[in-house]
């Protein structure tokens, strides 16, 4: 596996308050499932800022622009991801992937992904806020956002234009708000 920037926290030593900003990151990988990530925060990495980066991944598959990967015991929470330009060029390579990752802000990112879901929100990722992220180069075989778990309660979509999305499971709640009209909906 190759990573442009990799932050790994552990139970006794979190990685908190790191600022990853204004970088040009290219992660180029090979192999059957190359597992390449431009920026990868894993286990107990919280309160970090990821902003203004240009991120490109090129590999064979499973390459992520930004990957927040936690576990039930060591979640990745309260990070701000904003103003990044993310391009992935491989199959199954999401722009942003959240796994056991809650209370994060994804704001005003430009996501150029045509061979996978642009944003993937996985297991127990609660209270995330997605605001005004721009999706370009759509491929309708994949989703702008894929909620692959019902554990998404408290998630907000604010001024978030989506053309193609998916919800897996029953019982998860999201909130939708469009600011110009101060209009809010809650879907269950």
């Amino acid at each position: 596996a190759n990573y442009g920037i990799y932050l790994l926290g552990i139970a006794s030593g979190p990685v908190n308050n790191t600022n990853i900003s204004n970088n040009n990151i290219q992660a180029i990988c090979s192999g059957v499932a190359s597992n390449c990530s431009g920026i990868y925060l894993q286990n107990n990495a919280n309160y970090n800022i990821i902003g203004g980066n240009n991120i490109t991944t090129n590999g064979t598959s499973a390459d992520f622009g930004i990957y927040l990967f936690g576990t039930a015991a060591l979640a990745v929470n309260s990070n701000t991801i904003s103003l990044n330009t993310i391009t992935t060029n491989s199959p199954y390579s999401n722009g942003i992937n959240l796994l056991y990752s809650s209370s994060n802000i994804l704001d005003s990112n430009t996501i150029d992904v045509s061979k996978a879901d642009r944003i993937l929100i996985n297991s127990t990722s609660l209270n995330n806020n997605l605001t005004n992220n721009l999706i370009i180069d759509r491929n309708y075989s994949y989703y702008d956002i894929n909620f692959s778990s019902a554990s998404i309660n408290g998630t907000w979509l604010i001024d978030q234009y989506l053309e193609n999305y998916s919800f897996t499971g029953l019982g998860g709640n999201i909130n939708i708000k469009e600011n110009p009209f101060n209009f809010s909906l809650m879907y269950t």
Side-chain angles (χ1 to χ4, degrees):
N2 290 316
Y3 312 109
I5 296 175
Y6 179 42
L7 302 180
L8 173 62
I10 57 174
S12 61
V15 178
N16 292 342
N17 302 306
T18 301
N19 188 344
I20 303 170
S21 297
N22 302 316
N23 298 289
N24 288 313
I25 299 167
Q26 278 199 334
I28 301 171
C29 300
S30 61
V32 175
S34 52
N35 256 350
C36 226
S37 294
I39 298 175
Y40 186 17
L41 275 58
Q42 183 178 5
N43 297 342
N44 207 8
N46 310 297
Y47 308 104
N48 299 293
I49 296 171
I50 301 171
N53 299 288
N54 291 311
I55 302 164
T56 302
T57 65
N58 289 296
T60 52
S61 68
D63 309 320
F64 309 112
I66 298 174
Y67 193 14
L68 275 55
F69 179 89
T71 65
L74 297 171
V76 176
N77 296 326
S78 302
N79 297 287
T80 300
I81 300 170
S82 64
L83 300 169
N84 298 286
T85 300
I86 302 163
T87 304
T88 66
N89 295 309
S90 309
Y92 314 110
S93 300
N94 311 104
I96 299 174
N97 190 338
L98 307 180
L99 176 68
Y100 287 103
S101 188
S102 296
S103 301
N104 297 290
I105 297 170
L106 283 64
D107 185 10
S108 301
N109 298 287
T110 300
I111 303 170
D112 183 359
V113 174
S114 63
K115 297 178 183 174
D117 299 329
R118 272 62 78 186
I119 299 171
L120 179 61
I121 299 184
N122 284 296
S123 303
T124 313
S125 292
L126 308 168
N127 302 310
N128 289 296
N129 181 329
L130 289 78
T131 303
N132 201 32
N133 296 286
L134 176 63
I135 308 294
I136 59 175
D137 195 20
R138 285 183 166 86
N139 174 343
Y140 293 99
S141 297
Y142 303 101
Y143 298 110
D144 291 346
I145 188 166
N146 184 352
F147 294 99
S148 69
S149 166
S151 298
I152 57 172
N153 289 347
T155 295
W156 278 90
L157 302 176
I158 301 172
D159 293 334
Q160 185 59 63
Y161 179 76
L162 301 171
E163 291 184 12
N164 194 6
Y165 53 87
S166 175
F167 294 93
T168 301
L170 300 173
N173 296 318
I174 65 165
N175 303 288
I176 299 173
K177 183 175 183 179
E178 186 177 358
N179 272 333
F181 306 107
N182 201 19
F183 181 69
S184 296
L185 293 174
M186 186 169 107
Y187 288 96
T188 303

